[in-house]
Amino acid sequence: MFCIKCGEDNKDTAVYCRKCGEPTGVEIETQVAARALPDDLPPDRRSVDASPYQQGEDEAQIFSITPTLLFVKIGYVLTAIAALFLVAIASAFAYLIVPIWLAVVLGLLIFVIPAFYHIKKKLVRYTLTETKLEIDEGLISRSTRSVPLRRIQDVTVVATATQRLLGIGDVMIDNASDDGTKVVLNDINSPKDYADTLLRQMRRLEK
């Protein structure tokens, strides 16, 4: 390879001319070392987008759940029955109670009650990562509470008779915070499975 400035004959792999120091145009290949991804990382994160995790700025998510909507669905069914009953009564006694159109409006308005609890449930999310448990709540004013797994002292599953029949329950978590408050994951489907997952992750950190 001849230098384009002085004409000196250089090796084909030379980056600079050995006589005048002029760059020969050969590109320098740079390798960037990154932290290896864990084997159990979800497939959707095994991509270029996983770079924040490689840099230690993010953690693998173990689970992310919301309270069950079972009671909300039951509320919708009961509300629909009540609305139909109200319209039927109004139709039978239109001149004695309320007009039919007003009964229809009232029937639709009572759906606000289950809709309120539906939104309230959807605004709560429990997320377990490699080192902490996060509780997100709120719509306009969103708050996030993080509980380090190393500070959790006890995990208990509590379920009433009705909850046991429906396969749901509450996961109560004692943490070693200054205020000594408990963290409760309310109305969780298969609560024992999530409690066991939390305990397994706590044991991994202890090793």
Side-chain angles (χ1 to χ4, degrees):
M1 178 186 296
F2 294 94
C3 177
I4 58 175
K5 184 177 181 180
C6 67
E8 179 69 17
D9 187 13
N10 296 282
K11 294 182 180 180
D12 293 339
T13 57
V15 178
Y16 300 100
C17 177
R18 62 182 179 181
K19 182 177 181 180
C20 66
E22 180 74 7
T24 60
V26 177
E27 295 182 354
I28 301 175
E29 181 178 345
T30 305
Q31 296 180 348
V32 179
R35 177 186 171 187
L37 297 176
D39 295 334
D40 57 352
L41 192 66
D44 59 344
R45 298 188 62 191
R46 290 186 172 275
S47 63
V48 178
D49 295 336
S51 56
Y53 183 86
Q54 295 172 344
Q55 297 172 2
E57 297 176 359
D58 198 5
E59 296 181 13
Q61 187 180 99
I62 299 174
F63 68 69
S64 183
I65 56 176
T66 58
T68 181
L69 295 178
L70 180 60
F71 292 122
V72 173
K73 294 176 181 178
I74 294 175
Y76 277 122
V77 172
L78 294 178
T79 300
I81 294 173
L84 292 174
F85 182 76
L86 180 62
V87 173
I89 293 296
S91 300
F93 305 97
Y95 298 101
L96 298 179
I97 305 180
V98 293
I100 296 179
W101 67 268
L102 183 57
V104 173
V105 172
L106 292 176
L108 293 175
L109 286 177
I110 61 178
F111 276 94
V112 172
I113 299 174
F116 169 77
Y117 286 100
H118 190 171
I119 296 173
K120 186 177 180 180
K121 292 282 188 181
K122 293 294 288 184
L123 293 178
V124 178
R125 178 165 293 276
Y126 310 122
T127 303
L128 176 65
T129 67
E130 293 176 310
T131 62
K132 63 182 180 295
L133 178 67
E134 295 182 345
I135 299 94
D136 294 320
E137 297 177 296
L139 175 60
I140 299 176
S141 178
R142 191 76 173 172
S143 64
T144 300
R145 180 179 181 185
S146 297
V147 181
L149 297 187
R150 295 187 181 278
R151 304 195 66 178
I152 295 178
Q153 296 177 319
D154 188 32
V155 178
T156 308
V157 176
V158 179
T160 63
T162 302
Q163 286 178 319
R164 286 200 301 271
L165 289 174
L166 298 175
I168 62 177
D170 303 333
V171 178
M172 302 186 65
I173 300 169
D174 291 322
N175 66 93
S177 60
D178 295 334
D179 54 8
T181 58
K182 292 185 177 182
V183 177
V184 182
L185 312 186
N186 293 299
D187 296 331
I188 301 301
N189 288 314
S190 304
K192 190 176 184 304
D193 293 340
Y194 289 106
D196 290 342
T197 301
L198 175 58
L199 290 171
R200 282 196 298 269
Q201 185 60 27
M202 291 169 58
R203 287 193 289 268
R204 288 176 185 172
L205 292 180
E206 292 175 356
K207 294 179 180 180

